[in-house]
Amino acid sequence: MAKNIKIAPSILSANYMYMGKAIEDLQSAGADLVHVDVMDGSFVPNLNFGIKMVSDLRKGTTGVLDVHLMIVNPEKYIEQFAKAGSDYITIHYEATSEDIATLLQKIRSFGVKSGLSIKPDTDVSVLKELLPYCDMILIMSVYPGFGGQKFIPNSLERIAQVKKYIDESGLDIDLEVDGGITIENVGEVKRAGANVIVAGSTVFNAPDMKEAIEALRTL
Ligand code: DX5
Ligand code: ZN
């Protein structure tokens, strides 16, 4: 069954001086999720914000908080991010030596939707046996760490392969894609099977945020 397209602007690209306004603008522009990229300077070569950002956002918005943890040993922080008010918590396959299924179950145990992400060089087949523990799969279409990078073309085949795994599993799992998504390539990304579209620079650098979100949804 075809799933609804959801647009998840990444606040990594917002001006943090005006974060409250950015969230209000996203809500009135029709964003479905607020994508919250968390970076630790270790899993990725960049640093930004953490648990307090999620809890402050939670106090200020009813929007759906889609928290993407680009951090090592996410098991240390799952509980805190859950209690801070995340609606989705996505961890990286590459970020831990702990049992991934157990961590995804831990996310769900807090009533939070569980997400699992892989970087561009990780074989998509690792996801197969983990699907029963996932509410969402996140395919990185750039090397994580920075907004405004170029979409890696072979991501399309990777998305299509994962979509096939999901369909074969018969499970209800969202397929999210993150990195380098533009008005020009969003059509292909959706045709490959993605239904949740992350976009940072395309939304925040657009002259009209609402038009950009509409275009990402309908193209
Ligand atoms: C990259 C982040 C992305 C990024 C997307 O590490 O996970 O969410 O902000 O930004 P754009 O859409 O500009 O590539
Ligand atoms: Zn992200």
Side-chain angles (χ1 to χ4, degrees), residues 10 12-13 35 37 39 44 68 70 140 142-149 178-181 198-202:
S10 168
L12 180 62
S13 296
H35 188 78
D37 282 310
M39 304 184 173
V44 289
H68 176 195
M70 286 168 277
M140 287 307 305
V142 297
Y143 290 93
F146 300 92
Q149 303 182 74
D178 185 358
I181 298 183
V198 177
S201 28
T202 294

